[in-house]
Amino acid sequence: MRYSITAHKITAILSFLILSSVQFFLLYNTYELENDHYFLEEKSVLNAEYSRAISNDKIMPGGQSILDSFVNRDMNALEQSYFHDRTAFYKSRQKILDSAFHALRKANNIDSLLRIIVKKNNLRRNFEYALLIQGLDLSFQKDEYVSLYTPAEQYPFIDQGIQTKDGIRIGGTLRDINTHNAVATVTVSSSENHTYRITFTLHVDIRNRKATILLRMMPTFLLSLLSVLSVVLLFFITFRNWLRQKKLSEMKSDFINSITHEFHTPLAAIIVANKTMQNEKIIASKESIRPLTEVVQRQADRLKILISQVLDITTLNKISLNKEEHSIHLLLDELLLDYRLKLADTTVRFMLQKNTPRDTVLLDRFWFTTILLNIFDNAIKYNNKEEKEITVTTFDDKRALYITIRDNGIGMTEDVRRHVFDKFYRNMRQTRDTIKGLGLGLFYVKQAIDAHSWKIDIISMEGEGSTFIISIPL
């Protein structure tokens, strides 16, 4: 049963993880699709307008003249050092580029260009941009290029503040550089001697792009979350109903086992008494038959009561008592006589010690018998001695009459004593596989004791037997 519930829980967790993974995959793909198409129209407009603005220029309007003034001016010096002194070439190219890049940054006019484009095309966006140089090469001879700058390297003589992994930042504050916000990537070259090739990009994006896309996807997120929660809720309701049905099935089994548990003792006594009466010696003696017929009558009466109260025995939600005055000693004599008949072929020894002169008590005979029979059954079941002993003693004081049932069984630990009256409780560490039961016997005992407003205590140590003390107020 435990395995079945654990298997269901593991299956549920795995199913939830798989469902969540699928939902996450679908949401991620939806986000990527939204990200690809988001800002697409604005990008097209910006690309067209920017390309038009630099159609005869580089980087930005006026950028070519600034770059030419630095690179072309020192072209011959760079060529001489490249072929004769590479160390001087590497150093001088960095200083030239540092000056050129700072001049471009100082002359950056992309901010004003974007404002014009936004106003002209009525683009209602709050834009961020990044203007980057991603490569610069010299050509001393036609179509043979020498690298001056590449983002893959770090240059000690170029301002570290403008060098990034994406290139030299000429302007803008946009930090998230990716293909989604790349408006234009341009490479300008000339198939001539003593010229240069440059690659530059313009990235433009709206502020808080991710948050805006996520906000637009919020209905999708909520629908996905609702679907997952609905599946979880449906599983929970189904699982709970399954547990309830399983509990009802167990209650049905408990009902049947309870009947068997309670019917066994009177039936066994009747069978033994009947078998005894078939003995020819007993038949010949009328005096011997009478006690046996009384046993049969008592046990038949008990069976009759059991049939009428079997529902109470199973549920024990409420016990109806039919109290009458009875002699405790007389009831114990009858009970032990009947129980000894049941155990005729066993090595169980009963002893009864009557130490109270006041033995008349108001009680329900049926439930009083039930209390003692269940305690006797447990005393025998949880006993691994070859000769089992059960001693029943009565005594009294000014407040109450006491009945003690002491056995020489396996005893109980403190933890077992705390739970021994709980419904279905069985101590699995002490319980052997051969001991049958549902953990109901002592539960019935406690319910019947409480119904009478009596008290029951246990004195027990592991391996030293147990003593049940029933206190009956006088």
Side-chain angles (χ1 to χ4, degrees):
M1 193 71 68
R2 185 180 299 276
Y3 172 79
S4 177
I5 295 176
T6 302
H8 276 78
K9 289 181 179 179
I10 292 173
T11 303
I13 293 171
L14 290 176
S15 300
F16 175 76
L17 291 176
I18 292 171
L19 177 62
S20 300
S21 300
V22 171
Q23 289 281 32
F24 175 79
F25 178 75
L26 293 175
L27 287 174
Y28 177 77
N29 283 345
T30 303
Y31 173 83
E32 287 297 314
L33 187 63
E34 187 76 20
N35 199 20
D36 289 338
H37 290 84
Y38 188 66
F39 192 53
L40 201 57
E41 293 182 9
E42 290 90 337
K43 280 176 62 177
S44 300
V45 172
L46 290 169
N47 179 274
E49 294 288 347
Y50 175 71
S51 299
R52 190 178 300 114
I54 61 166
S55 58
N56 296 311
D57 220 320
K58 296 173 182 175
I59 306 174
M60 62 188 179
Q64 180 171 345
S65 60
I66 296 173
L67 201 57
D68 288 350
S69 66
F70 286 93
V71 178
N72 291 339
R73 181 189 63 189
D74 295 307
M75 182 70 72
N76 292 330
L78 289 170
E79 183 178 17
Q80 290 297 320
S81 60
Y82 178 75
F83 287 107
H84 299 96
D85 188 353
R86 291 291 177 90
T87 302
F89 170 77
Y90 291 139
K91 184 175 181 180
S92 60
R93 69 167 181 175
Q94 293 183 53
K95 290 183 177 181
I96 293 169
L97 290 178
D98 184 65
S99 300
F101 292 155
H102 277 91
L104 289 169
R105 286 173 60 84
K106 186 175 182 181
N108 174 36
N109 54 19
I110 295 298
D111 294 271
S112 57
L113 176 63
L114 286 177
R115 283 196 294 271
I116 293 170
I117 295 173
V118 168
K119 185 176 181 181
K120 177 183 176 182
N121 295 276
N122 196 27
L123 303 178
R124 298 179 182 179
R125 296 287 189 183
N126 188 10
F127 292 128
E128 285 185 306
Y129 78 94
L131 182 61
L132 303 169
I133 294 177
Q134 293 188 319
L136 187 59
D137 307 310
L138 281 180
S139 175
F140 301 121
Q141 296 179 5
K142 181 180 178 180
D143 296 331
E144 294 183 7
Y145 290 98
V146 176
S147 176
L148 289 185
Y149 169 77
T150 174
E153 296 183 27
Q154 282 290 316
Y155 300 89
F157 294 101
I158 297 177
D159 185 357
Q160 299 296 313
I162 64 175
Q163 294 186 66
T164 71
K165 63 181 180 62
D166 301 298
I168 298 296
R169 184 178 287 271
I170 301 302
T173 58
L174 181 65
R175 296 298 173 186
D176 186 14
I177 308 300
N178 55 64
T179 56
H180 294 300
N181 53 38
V183 170
T185 299
V186 183
T187 298
V188 180
S189 62
S190 177
S191 185
E192 298 176 2
N193 294 333
H194 297 96
T195 186
Y196 63 91
R197 177 177 62 188
I198 185 170
T199 300
F200 54 92
T201 62
L202 176 66
H203 293 260
V204 181
D205 210 344
I206 66 168
R207 296 182 188 276
N208 303 318
R209 177 190 180 99
K210 290 182 179 179
T212 305
I213 295 175
L214 291 175
L215 188 62
R216 288 179 58 174
M217 289 183 62
M218 191 57 65
T220 306
F221 282 128
L222 292 177
L223 186 62
S224 176
L225 180 62
L226 182 63
S227 65
V228 172
L229 291 178
S230 298
V231 171
V232 172
L233 180 62
L234 285 173
F235 175 82
F236 173 76
I237 293 172
T238 304
F239 185 71
R240 186 183 61 181
N241 290 339
W242 176 73
L243 287 178
R244 286 178 177 175
Q245 292 298 323
K246 191 162 70 67
K247 187 175 181 180
L248 288 174
S249 177
E250 290 173 353
M251 287 178 66
K252 182 179 179 181
S253 299
D254 293 344
F255 181 81
I256 296 170
N257 282 290
S258 297
I259 296 174
T260 304
H261 181 87
E262 294 299 325
F263 280 20
H264 181 74
T265 298
L267 282 174
I270 291 172
I271 291 169
V272 172
N274 181 63
K275 190 175 182 180
T276 304
M277 285 189 292
Q278 292 175 359
N279 189 297
E280 293 184 1
K281 293 182 179 180
I282 299 297
I283 294 174
S285 174
K286 293 183 179 181
E287 294 179 356
S288 301
I289 292 179
R290 184 174 181 81
L292 293 173
T293 58
E294 290 175 354
V295 169
V296 173
Q297 182 62 46
R298 284 196 299 269
Q299 298 307 318
D301 290 341
R302 178 168 176 79
L303 280 174
K304 183 179 179 181
I305 297 172
L306 275 171
I307 291 170
S308 64
Q309 299 196 20
V310 70
L311 185 60
D312 286 337
I313 296 172
T314 304
T315 60
L316 287 176
N317 291 326
K318 184 179 180 181
I319 293 177
S320 299
L321 298 180
N322 182 23
K323 290 186 178 181
E324 295 178 354
E325 284 192 353
H326 288 279
S327 167
I328 292 292
H329 291 159
L330 181 59
L331 289 177
L332 288 173
D333 285 335
E334 292 177 353
L335 181 61
L336 292 179
L337 173 63
D338 297 350
Y339 205 78
R340 286 190 182 101
L341 285 174
K342 172 186 172 182
L343 303 174
D345 297 328
T346 64
T347 57
V348 179
R349 187 158 63 94
F350 275 94
M351 290 174 284
L352 175 59
Q353 298 176 357
K354 304 173 184 178
N355 297 327
T356 176
R358 297 182 297 173
D359 70 329
T360 303
V361 175
L362 195 64
L363 54 79
D364 184 300
R365 179 185 180 121
F366 170 83
W367 286 108
F368 177 76
T369 305
T370 298
I371 292 169
L372 293 180
L373 287 178
N374 281 305
I375 294 176
F376 292 164
D377 287 344
N378 268 34
I380 294 171
K381 280 197 300 185
Y382 297 95
N383 192 325
N384 52 18
K385 299 285 195 330
E386 289 186 7
E387 185 174 335
K388 301 173 177 58
E389 295 181 358
I390 299 176
T391 304
V392 182
T393 305
T394 64
F395 64 94
D396 67 87
D397 58 20
K398 293 181 180 180
R399 293 172 299 174
L401 183 150
Y402 301 94
I403 304 173
T404 66
I405 302 98
R406 181 170 56 82
D407 63 63
N408 63 339
I410 62 176
M412 308 180 201
T413 63
E414 184 178 350
D415 183 64
V416 173
R417 289 200 303 274
R418 282 200 302 267
H419 299 284
V420 74
F421 293 118
D422 295 347
K423 191 174 185 180
F424 304 122
Y425 176 78
R426 300 184 75 204
N427 179 28
M428 301 311 295
R429 187 173 68 85
Q430 286 183 312
T431 302
R432 294 167 292 168
D433 294 336
T434 55
I435 298 177
K436 306 300 181 183
L438 296 170
L440 294 171
L442 292 182
F443 173 73
Y444 299 155
V445 168
K446 187 66 168 64
Q447 297 297 307
I449 289 288
D450 291 342
H452 280 89
S453 299
W454 297 348
K455 291 183 180 179
I456 185 167
D457 297 300
I458 301 174
I459 299 174
S460 181
M461 291 186 65
E462 192 171 11
E464 297 185 11
S466 303
T467 301
F468 289 80
I469 305 173
I470 300 173
S471 304
I472 305 174
L474 291 173

